[in-house]
Amino acid sequence: MKLKFKQFLWRIWRQMHPLQIVVLAGLSWFASFVTLRSIGLWLVSLTSNSIVLTGTTSRFIDLFGYGRYDKLLNSPWLITLKYLGILAVAFVFFLFFYWLFKQNLLRKQLRQVNLAIVQDQPMEQESLIPEIVQLEESIDKMRAHQAELIEQEQEAQQAKNDLITNVSHDLRTPLTSILGYLSYIHEDRYRDEVELRHYTELVYGKARRLHKLIDDLFDYTRLESAEFHIKEDTLDMVELLRQLVSEYERSASEKDVQIIEMYTVDDLKVTGDGMQIMRLFENLFSNALRYGASGKKIEISAKKEAGMAIIEVSNYGAEIPASDIPQLFDRFYKVDKNRTTTGTGLGLAIAKSIVERHGGQVFATSRKGKTTFTVQLPLIVR
């Protein structure tokens, strides 16, 4: 209570000039004196006109004498009580006058805030009352939030434009090749059946690449959609990794690449969508085979750490430049700036979306000829 009273006095001191406080206090004291004087005169008049009260006063004088009656009226405690009453009423009047002053100040500062909003300028908060300070802080937060939304909208628009540009480029390239080879076939411009077969295989390869790009694009947009819900199955990550390794052993042996498995645990269970998790590691395995074939080996490791399943897929070969690492998981991003690689540029973006949908994270490191993609997934709590 004492602290609140001090805060109240400090608020008055900040909002009002000392001369205003003196004038307001004097006005309050005068108003309280006049009010109590009026009430006193009304009580005297009421006493004079009341037979009961007049008789009571006369009876008191008869019993104790006029001197004691006069002494009672002029006793120190009664005078103290009178001035305390005046002070209390004066304080009430002071609060009333302060409320009127505050309302006027509030309207004035609201006009200033409105002008600052129109002119898009900040306000000096030293002389503002607490309510206006809170309003100004709320407006500043709204401005910051609005600026953030505008920035996000601009980023989303830029991302949409980039998406359209990249999709157009990656769709047009194989489609142009398909149409070119089909025009040779359609116009009978091949020399023999061998060349016809060659053109057909080229068209088939380009069509498969086009199909892969469309599938990846569909999967990426589906994963990014808020309406897409993943399943919550219990998955044994070690068993899943061993199954994937067995499926990729043939592709690896064809490129003379050895897959080395390093599992420090046999029981590594997570909750998630089996098909999506398989897709995640298929993308990482394919990426390791595509860019790490020159290293002749791929390392797969799995372990537990701080309630997380930590899976690493490593390949050896050319390092990824440090400047490219942060953008690896962006859609359509390729380290090869000339876009001569055969990937769609969506594999790692899809992998990141799948991991984040499962409450985990994925990141990459590349140093001393070794590139590692690390996946962290939350383990099932027992």
Side-chain angles (χ1 to χ4, degrees):
M1 188 70 178
K2 186 177 180 181
L3 181 62
K4 289 184 178 180
F5 184 71
K6 287 184 177 179
Q7 291 175 347
F8 173 71
L9 293 178
W10 174 246
R11 187 182 301 173
I12 292 175
W13 181 257
R14 285 188 59 191
Q15 294 172 2
M16 301 181 67
H17 192 272
L19 183 60
Q20 290 177 320
I21 297 176
V22 172
V23 172
L24 207 60
L27 185 62
S28 301
W29 183 268
F30 177 76
S32 64
F33 181 79
V34 171
T35 301
L36 290 178
R37 184 66 176 170
S38 301
I39 293 174
L41 292 174
W42 176 74
L43 289 176
V44 169
S45 175
L46 184 65
T47 303
S48 301
N49 296 327
S50 174
I51 298 174
V52 176
L53 293 176
T54 303
T56 301
T57 303
S58 301
R59 184 71 175 169
F60 184 86
I61 294 173
D62 292 339
L63 288 174
F64 299 101
Y66 184 79
R68 180 165 291 189
Y69 174 72
D70 184 64
K71 186 178 181 181
L72 177 65
L73 290 177
N74 295 287
S75 61
W77 67 269
L78 193 61
I79 293 174
T80 302
L81 184 64
K82 179 177 71 174
Y83 281 103
L84 286 176
I86 294 174
L87 184 62
V89 175
F91 184 70
V92 172
F93 272 108
F94 184 85
L95 290 178
F96 174 71
F97 291 140
Y98 171 68
W99 178 80
L100 292 177
F101 171 82
K102 187 177 177 181
Q103 291 299 111
N104 182 61
L105 185 62
L106 180 63
R107 287 192 292 270
K108 180 181 177 181
Q109 292 186 353
L110 280 174
R111 288 194 294 269
Q112 293 175 353
V113 170
N114 184 55
L115 183 62
I117 293 174
V118 171
Q119 297 178 349
D120 195 22
Q121 295 178 350
M123 284 192 63
E124 185 180 349
Q125 298 189 356
E126 289 295 326
S127 60
L128 298 180
I129 61 177
E131 291 82 357
I132 298 298
V133 171
Q134 293 177 1
L135 177 61
E136 180 69 13
E137 290 175 351
S138 299
I139 291 173
D140 287 341
K141 289 180 181 178
M142 289 176 60
R143 283 174 173 168
H145 182 61
Q146 184 181 27
E148 184 180 348
L149 289 176
I150 292 173
E151 185 179 354
Q152 290 177 356
E153 177 66 23
Q154 291 174 345
E155 290 177 355
Q157 184 65 33
Q158 183 61 42
K160 184 178 75 172
N161 293 338
D162 291 343
L163 176 63
I164 293 172
T165 301
N166 287 315
V167 168
S168 300
H169 177 276
D170 287 343
L171 290 177
R172 185 175 63 246
T173 301
L175 189 58
T176 301
S177 298
I178 289 172
L179 290 174
Y181 292 127
L182 286 178
S183 68
Y184 281 119
I185 297 172
H186 179 70
E187 297 170 6
D188 297 326
R189 286 193 286 166
Y190 52 89
R191 290 190 297 269
D192 50 32
E193 292 297 324
V194 175
E195 191 173 44
L196 174 61
R197 176 80 176 183
H198 174 67
Y199 288 155
T200 304
E201 289 178 354
L202 289 175
V203 169
Y204 179 67
K206 297 294 183 180
R208 288 187 60 184
R209 182 184 174 189
L210 191 60
H211 184 266
K212 178 71 166 58
L213 174 62
I214 293 172
D215 281 349
D216 284 352
L217 185 61
F218 174 76
D219 288 341
Y220 177 77
T221 53
R222 190 163 58 99
L223 284 166
E224 291 293 302
S225 172
E227 289 76 23
F228 178 72
H229 300 286
I230 63 171
K231 297 178 181 179
E232 295 186 357
D233 302 324
T234 299
L235 306 174
D236 187 331
M237 292 308 302
V238 174
E239 181 182 343
L240 184 144
L241 289 170
R242 284 173 175 161
Q243 180 181 341
L244 275 174
V245 168
S246 65
E247 293 177 2
Y248 275 83
E249 277 183 342
R250 181 176 177 181
S251 299
S253 63
E254 289 176 353
K255 295 184 177 183
D256 196 22
V257 174
Q258 181 184 8
I259 300 179
I260 302 172
E261 299 177 80
M262 299 178 291
Y263 309 132
T264 60
V265 289
D266 291 326
D267 184 17
L268 201 63
K269 289 185 169 61
V270 302
T271 300
D273 190 320
M275 294 297 294
Q276 297 301 326
I277 295 293
M278 288 283 281
R279 178 68 185 277
L280 156 68
F281 286 103
E282 283 175 355
N283 287 354
L284 295 182
F285 280 26
S286 298
N287 190 75
L289 279 175
R290 182 181 300 116
Y291 299 105
S294 61
K296 301 303 179 184
K297 67 177 179 178
I298 295 174
E299 294 175 349
I300 314 296
S301 67
K303 61 182 179 179
K304 290 181 181 179
E305 189 175 292
M308 303 291 284
I310 311 297
I311 299 100
E312 294 182 344
V313 180
S314 303
N315 62 268
Y316 293 82
E319 290 183 19
I320 299 174
S323 59
D324 289 315
I325 293 291
Q327 288 82 38
L328 278 180
F329 297 95
D330 293 348
R331 57 191 177 191
F332 295 109
Y333 186 83
K334 293 183 180 182
V335 177
D336 178 12
K337 300 300 187 297
N338 295 322
R339 305 179 68 86
T340 57
T341 53
T342 58
T344 63
L346 285 170
L348 293 180
I350 291 172
K352 181 182 179 183
S353 295
I354 293 172
V355 173
E356 291 179 347
R357 280 287 185 145
H358 286 79
Q361 58 180 339
V362 58
F363 54 90
T365 58
S366 185
R367 62 176 68 94
K368 296 181 180 180
K370 180 180 180 180
T371 299
T372 300
F373 288 88
T374 303
V375 175
Q376 298 181 351
L377 295 170
L379 290 167
I380 294 176
V381 180
R382 296 181 178 178

